[in-house]
Amino acid sequence: MDVLYFAWVRERIGLPKERIETNAATVSDLVAELSAREERYAAAFADLSALRVALDQELSDFDAPLSGVREVAFFPPMTGG
């Protein structure tokens, strides 16, 4: 699965995108798995209320299942202007 990071999430992790193999059942499980990798991931995912997630380019929730998902994107909330 491809995992994409945008804005300050990308800055904290230091990568715009990575391909990972995971057995995570939900987005929350994936976040826990990534956070356990290194401190930079833990820092990026420390406050989930400051993050949004999209699965295959559709906004979703952190309790959403990952079965069949090809792309997960994490980004801060967007504001219009």
Side-chain angles (χ1 to χ4, degrees):
M1 137 185 335
D2 289 328
V3 181
L4 288 68
Y5 309 107
F6 293 94
W8 58 259
V9 183
R10 177 180 58 223
E11 292 169 10
R12 288 185 187 169
I13 292 175
L15 297 170
K17 174 181 177 180
E18 63 184 320
R19 179 173 287 277
I20 65 164
E21 297 291 328
T22 182
N23 291 320
T26 66
V27 176
S28 292
D29 294 341
L30 176 62
V31 167
E33 185 179 299
L34 291 171
S35 294
R37 279 182 164 184
E38 297 176 35
E39 180 57 35
R40 61 188 175 137
Y41 290 93
F45 295 115
D47 181 8
L48 294 186
S49 69
L51 284 174
R52 298 294 177 264
V53 63
L55 304 179
D56 291 332
Q57 300 184 5
E58 295 206 12
L59 284 176
S60 193
D61 295 315
F62 285 88
D63 60 355
L66 290 176
S67 178
V69 171
R70 295 181 318 261
E71 179 185 275
V72 179
F74 295 103
F75 51 93
M78 304 295 177
T79 58

